[in-house]
Amino acid sequence: MDVLSDAIAAMRLGRPHSAIWDKYAPWGARFGEYSGAGFHVLLRGSAWLVPGREGAEPIALAPGDIAFVAHGSGHALMSEPGAPLDRFELEPDGSWPKPPARSADGEPGEPPAAVLLCGAYRLDRARAHPLLSELPEVVHLPARVGAHGSLRGVVELLGAELDDPKPGSDTIVSSLLDTLLAYILRAWWLGERHGTGHPTGWAAALADPAVAAALRAVHADPGHPWTVADLGALGGLSRAPFARRFAATVGSPPLAYLTWWRMTTAGRLLRHEDTPLRVIAERCGYSSEFAFAKAFKRQFGVAPGQYRKAA
């Protein structure tokens, strides 16, 4: 997989969920903190999103706008600033509950003031990929003519499936939600890379041909005995200039990132597969199970076998 796909896969837990809301003014909902990420798409009408951070400015949402709450922080949605808020409580296990079915609290025949498509993803924050960690609290993607056509297409398909479920809808909705997450993140990073000024952080890393080539290689084959010189040569750079450029954009030296990604890959395999430890060690670049277990415990604080049982 590519770097962005790998970053998402490393953090994903469980299945995402979503629903459509019809809201009648005045309305408001307060969402508590959540160990994942959520999104709101305004399909019709108008709404305001207020981030949970103290002093944060409310964000006006217009039809077609997408708001992605990247780090599961508390926030509120409302018809207008100051509207009364209903508490949206977390489930006893700490997960974000599925939004209620489409409400019908307006007068007969009255059109809703807003129609929203809302949903959430469960993510493992313990191994948050830095590519996702540097996202702002709220990623706001305003609707613009000709912008993000594929993303808008996924929103339309998802809305149609939720509005009129048919056989196979559960599978289709789950797949569309995964696709929606990737398109949201792609839209934001492309905006960072192609916007005004110079991109920074991971936007700069993915835009740098030499650094991007090294990242693709590490993610494609984390078990390969990579050296800094090998990775630099992929982008036509000698060892020292490549190491400086990689560290400046990615935030860590090349081999430190390689080790981190190997351990993150190992954690994902231990969580989701019954692959023998010896095979996981080889896939992550370790010639012996003992060396792998030692490196894994240094990163996670527990032995691989204990981690697998807990997961």
Side-chain angles (χ1 to χ4, degrees), residues 150-163:
S150 298
L151 174 58
R152 306 297 167 190
V154 173
V155 169
E156 289 184 14
L157 289 171
L158 183 56
E161 286 295 329
L162 292 170
D163 197 42

Side-chain angles (χ1 to χ4, degrees), residues 30-47:
R30 181 179 297 281
F31 299 84
E33 292 187 0
Y34 170 66
S35 59
F39 69 87
H40 306 288
V41 183
L42 184 63
L43 301 178
R44 291 195 295 276
S46 61

Side-chain angles (χ1 to χ4, degrees), residues 2-49:
D2 60 88
V3 179
L4 178 56
S5 299
D6 273 342
I8 296 171
M11 296 181 66
R12 284 290 311 279
L13 295 171
R15 294 181 63 178
H17 49 72
S18 63
I20 293 179
W21 283 359
D22 289 346
K23 304 303 291 183
Y24 295 84
W27 63 271
R30 181 179 297 281
F31 299 84
E33 292 187 0
Y34 170 66
S35 59
F39 69 87
H40 306 288
V41 183
L42 184 63
L43 301 178
R44 291 195 295 276
S46 61
W48 291 79
L49 185 146

Side-chain angles (χ1 to χ4, degrees), residues 44-141:
R44 291 195 295 276
S46 61
W48 291 79
L49 185 146
V50 180
R53 178 170 40 86
E54 186 175 352
E57 290 292 325
I59 300 170
L61 301 180
D65 281 13
I66 298 172
F68 180 64
V69 184
H71 307 296
S73 56
H75 61 284
L77 276 175
M78 61 195 71
S79 55
E80 57 189 3
L85 300 177
D86 294 325
R87 181 73 181 177
F88 197 61
E89 297 290 348
L90 298 178
E91 297 287 4
D93 64 358
S95 64
W96 198 28
K98 182 176 179 178
R102 298 184 69 165
S103 59
D105 49 358
E107 295 295 328
E110 177 190 358
V115 179
L116 296 116
L117 170 59
C118 304
Y121 304 91
R122 292 187 62 198
L123 302 175
D124 180 10
R125 294 292 176 191
R127 300 299 292 181
H129 193 284
L131 188 149
L132 302 179
S133 297
E134 71 177 25
L135 286 167
E137 180 183 4
V138 178
V139 174
H140 179 208
L141 299 173

